Amino acid sequence: MRIALTIAGSDSGGGAGVQADLKTFHQFGVFGTSVLTAVTAQNTVGVRAWEPVPAALVTRQLEALADDLPPAAVKSGMLGAAPVVEAVAAVLATLRLPNYVLDPVMVATSGDRLLDRDAEQLIVQRLVPLATLVTPNLSEAAMLVGHAVGTPEEMERAGRALLKLGARAALVKGGHLAGDELVDVFVVGGTIRRFTRSRIDTTSTHGTGCTLSAAVTAGLALGRPLEQAVADGLDFVHRALAAAPGLGRGHGPLNHFVPAPPRPPSEGL
């Protein structure tokens, strides 16, 4: 059985963060391990408080897993504070953990900040160059590349800029685009692919970014090519949104019980 690792914060509401990642890994048939970077007090309405885990403890978690349960793919989500970003970057670079998916979580679906401002440029400088794939939404992409990102053309420009910063590939997410059709832009090498879909009319959008990056990470852990892992991840999230259970009074969680895309026989376990 393949192992996938999530480096992220804990969501007490269960719809995002480490909880969403582990649920997603399970659906894809990979064994999930986790490194906790922060503890949040939140629900579907908003984030009431959060505290980072000490950077030294983040390092020890990573080293413990690499020593005994080495992952076939890794993702990071909420890192919260600059010392945690530094710690994660140092271990990823030193241990050369493979197939790193960077979800640069900066703001929660509710609008609450989940990253200290002094950590933003550290993500650009230390983590983007290590990433197999970076998966920012529109506002995160704008913060990373330093220009507005609000159209598919600007998303393509941002994706190319992230590659120049050192990432192998970028998936700029268009969930906040206006209109009935949503576009996600995938940039790798000299190739640009637009994934389009119809907007689902729902407020149950909590954890979409976490779930998507976890799904892509699971696909990479299973040995799927990057573009296929991205396509499978987008498909999983779209169906999880459509089947959302409508929990909570705010932005509710997805339905992580929807089946993952079928695994080809060649993957085995």
Side-chain angles (χ1 to χ4, degrees):
M1 179 174 287
R2 304 293 180 87
I3 297 173
L5 165 63
T6 171
I7 307 166
S10 172
D11 172 12
S12 54
V18 163
Q19 288 84 347
D21 295 341
L22 293 176
K23 292 172 188 177
T24 302
F25 290 165
H26 178 84
Q27 289 303 92
F28 274 75
V30 300
F31 183 82
T33 58
S34 59
V35 167
L36 207 63
T37 59
V39 177
T40 70
Q42 65 176 299
N43 53 30
T44 67
V45 178
V47 179
R48 299 187 179 185
W50 67 270
E51 294 286 344
V53 170
L57 184 53
V58 171
T59 298
R60 295 296 296 274
Q61 291 179 78
L62 282 164
E63 291 173 342
L65 292 174
D67 183 58
D68 185 53
L69 295 164
V74 182
K75 68 151 283 187
S76 67
M78 177 187 180
L79 299 178
V84 174
V85 175
E86 292 275 19
V88 170
V91 175
L92 288 175
T94 301
L95 299 181
R96 298 183 180 180
L97 298 181
N99 295 315
Y100 171 46
V101 177
L102 167 59
D103 181 12
V105 174
M106 297 178 179
V107 181
T109 303
S110 59
D112 299 286
R113 282 196 67 87
L114 296 175
L115 181 72
D116 292 342
R117 293 190 185 277
D118 61 352
E120 290 177 6
Q121 282 307 304
L122 277 178
I123 288 179
V124 175
Q125 296 163 5
R126 299 295 309 279
L127 292 179
V128 170
L130 300 174
T132 301
L133 179 71
V134 187
T135 64
N137 60 29
L138 299 182
S139 60
E140 292 162 350
M143 292 180 193
L144 292 175
V145 303
H147 64 75
V149 183
T151 67
E153 292 73 25
E154 291 172 345
M155 293 163 71
E156 292 181 5
R157 179 183 168 201
R160 289 193 295 268
L162 288 167
L163 267 60
K164 289 182 180 178
L165 289 169
R168 177 185 161 196
L171 177 67
V172 183
K173 302 173 295 189
H176 297 135
L177 290 173
D180 295 330
E181 184 178 74
L182 301 184
V183 180
D184 299 298
V185 175
F186 177 63
V187 182
V188 59
T191 301
I192 296 175
R193 177 177 174 184
R194 293 188 183 186
F195 292 90
T196 61
R197 66 192 187 279
S198 298
R199 183 186 297 276
I200 296 173
D201 185 14
T202 180
T203 57
S204 296
T205 55
H206 183 57
T208 49
C210 303
T211 301
L212 174 59
S213 57
V216 175
T217 303
L220 293 174
L222 291 167
R224 296 176 186 173
L226 179 57
E227 188 168 342
Q228 181 188 346
V230 168
D232 288 347
L234 289 168
D235 172 67
F236 179 77
V237 169
H238 187 71
R239 289 183 290 106
L241 274 169
L247 302 177
R249 294 180 288 107
H251 293 283
L254 315 183
N255 183 354
H256 291 95
F257 291 108
V258 298
R263 294 172 61 170
S266 60
E267 284 184 357
L269 294 177

